[in-house]
Amino acid sequence: MLSRTMLVSNLARRSLRPSLLASAPISRPFTSPAHQSQPTQERKATDQNLHGAAPAHVSGGANIIRPSVFWKGYHMTSYLLLGLLPAGIAFAHHPEVQYIDYALLGLIPLHSHIGLDTVINDYCYEGTKKPVKALLFLLTGATFYGLYKVNTEDVGISKGLRMLWEKKSDPVM
């Protein structure tokens, strides 16, 4: 049978172990001081890739969005859509919903374009990327135009989405 002190020490050790490990310094491989003072080009490229800079094989003069900025923008559109879509559906009959509709007009094509561009970059062969990206730009433009028409000449994006969930009445004969 465990004594009271053994039980307390076991409980203390279990509860302290994760907190002690969480504050432990991260161990790094040993490098000589000469290597630390003058990093090689390969090490610089690796460090830049780890910290979200453009890949080393990309020419320096190209207009490239850093990957960390790209993903922050993509996630920001996700968060905005996550808030604006339910708000637009909830307040579809309010006269000020047009501002939400125009925000959705910009966010929906932008979010889908960024996501599909990532899929193209990951899964298309190098020879087929240019025509597929051209089709993506056409699809994004058509989406923007269609949503613009819904906003200006029809009920609007929010009211249109709300109409999908409303109960349809039976036609009177």
Side-chain angles (χ1 to χ4, degrees):
M1 182 165 182
L2 292 174
S3 68
R4 177 175 258 174
T5 55
M6 288 176 62
L7 183 62
V8 170
S9 67
N10 281 339
L11 289 174
R13 195 171 352 142
R14 287 183 189 157
S15 63
L16 288 178
R17 186 175 297 146
S19 63
L20 289 175
L21 289 176
S23 64
I26 298 172
S27 64
R28 299 192 183 253
F30 175 76
T31 55
S32 66
H35 182 69
Q36 289 176 354
S37 63
Q38 294 180 353
T40 62
Q41 289 296 90
E42 182 180 319
R43 184 169 172 200
K44 282 182 185 178
T46 304
D47 289 345
Q48 286 177 349
N49 286 336
L50 289 175
H51 299 294
H57 65 276
V58 176
S59 63
N63 292 329
I64 294 178
I65 298 174
R66 290 181 26 196
S68 60
V69 174
F70 169 81
W71 286 112
K72 284 179 185 176
Y74 182 71
H75 290 131
M76 187 58 64
T77 61
S78 298
Y79 301 142
L80 289 171
L81 285 171
L82 188 64
L84 287 175
L85 280 171
I89 293 169
F91 301 111
H93 298 294
H94 195 275
E96 300 297 321
V97 79
Q98 66 182 349
Y99 299 115
I100 294 175
D101 284 343
Y102 283 109
L104 291 173
L105 170 66
L107 285 173
I108 291 171
L110 177 65
H111 180 77
S112 61
H113 181 85
I114 293 171
L116 289 173
D117 186 55
T118 305
V119 171
I120 291 169
N121 285 332
D122 287 345
Y123 295 107
C124 283
Y125 294 111
E126 288 300 320
T128 61
K129 279 187 183 180
K130 283 188 180 184
V132 173
K133 283 193 176 192
L135 287 173
L136 175 62
F137 276 101
L138 287 174
L139 178 68
T140 303
T143 304
F144 184 83
Y145 181 72
L147 291 174
Y148 174 76
K149 286 293 197 179
V150 168
N151 270 348
T152 57
E153 297 177 8
D154 205 359
V155 294
I157 297 170
S158 300
K159 193 168 183 180
L161 287 173
R162 184 173 180 129
M163 288 168 60
L164 291 173
W165 277 280
E166 288 180 351
K167 184 177 179 180
K168 295 179 181 178
S169 61
D170 292 330
V172 179
M173 291 188 190

